Amino acid sequence: MTDATFDPVRIGIVSISDRASSGVYEDKGLPALQEWLQRALRNPITFASRLIPDEKEGISAALIELVDAGCSLVLTTGGTGPALRDVTPEATLAVAHREMPGFGEQMRQISLRFVPTAILSRQVAVIRNKSLIINLPGQPKSIAETLEGLKNPDGTQVVPGIFAAVPYCIDLIGGPYLETDEAVCKAFRPKSAIRAPGQPKS
């Protein structure tokens, strides 16, 4: 549920698939990303979406375009395996100013709870200017698992999802203050970095 007292945020979502972008089958990545973010964030969100084929130059161009358009966060889905056409990590690294390896490491740790082939995933995260770009898995179920983490039936966290660290990362690179719905994903910030709703940045 969004709340007008929180900073507005522009988020880029990119689904990368030869077949979905050519209409062979319906893309499920963009709806999955948008649905999860709308549940997890209380900020007013403007989405900028792209559905593009597995072409390195095209992916890099889309990422640059979204960052230049003011997206503080850009999430991609698809194209992160070892297949010859999977070039999303290379395209992402090509536009990076800094790498953030912890995100990919944690995503693989989460996915390994389900399938041993998680070690084949090559997701990366990078910073470009004041934007955080993260590659996510291709399946909607895996997208939610890696973002949200794993919970016991009583709701207690077993393995933290990567999104818990996203708001503070965006704070540190000069982006808007993201506030999460703790029922979906509890963001972690040091006490000194927490501010009340509507409070301006210091």
Short mmCIF file of all heavy atoms in Angstrom, two decimals, residues 34 71 82 107 141:
data_model
loop_
_atom_site.label_atom_id
_atom_site.label_comp_id
_atom_site.label_asym_id
_atom_site.label_seq_id
_atom_site.Cartn_x
_atom_site.Cartn_y
_atom_site.Cartn_z
N GLN A 34 6.44 -6.05 -10.99
CA GLN A 34 5.59 -4.93 -10.60
C GLN A 34 4.70 -5.31 -9.42
O GLN A 34 4.54 -4.53 -8.47
CB GLN A 34 4.74 -4.49 -11.79
CG GLN A 34 3.91 -3.25 -11.51
CD GLN A 34 3.39 -2.59 -12.78
OE1 GLN A 34 4.04 -2.64 -13.82
NE2 GLN A 34 2.22 -1.97 -12.69
N CYS A 71 15.57 6.53 -12.87
CA CYS A 71 15.22 5.34 -12.09
C CYS A 71 16.28 5.12 -11.00
O CYS A 71 17.45 4.91 -11.32
CB CYS A 71 15.12 4.11 -12.97
SG CYS A 71 13.74 4.17 -14.14
N PRO A 82 23.89 -20.05 -17.95
CA PRO A 82 25.11 -20.29 -18.73
C PRO A 82 24.87 -20.52 -20.22
O PRO A 82 25.82 -20.76 -20.97
CB PRO A 82 25.67 -21.56 -18.08
CG PRO A 82 24.46 -22.30 -17.63
CD PRO A 82 23.44 -21.26 -17.24
N MET A 107 21.52 -14.15 -3.50
CA MET A 107 20.49 -14.77 -4.35
C MET A 107 20.78 -16.24 -4.57
O MET A 107 19.89 -17.10 -4.51
CB MET A 107 20.40 -14.04 -5.69
CG MET A 107 19.59 -12.77 -5.62
SD MET A 107 19.27 -12.04 -7.25
CE MET A 107 20.73 -11.02 -7.44
N LYS A 141 8.29 -17.16 -9.32
CA LYS A 141 8.44 -17.72 -7.98
C LYS A 141 9.83 -17.42 -7.43
O LYS A 141 9.99 -17.04 -6.26
CB LYS A 141 8.18 -19.22 -7.99
CG LYS A 141 8.27 -19.89 -6.63
CD LYS A 141 7.85 -21.36 -6.73
CE LYS A 141 7.89 -22.04 -5.37
NZ LYS A 141 9.26 -22.25 -4.89
#
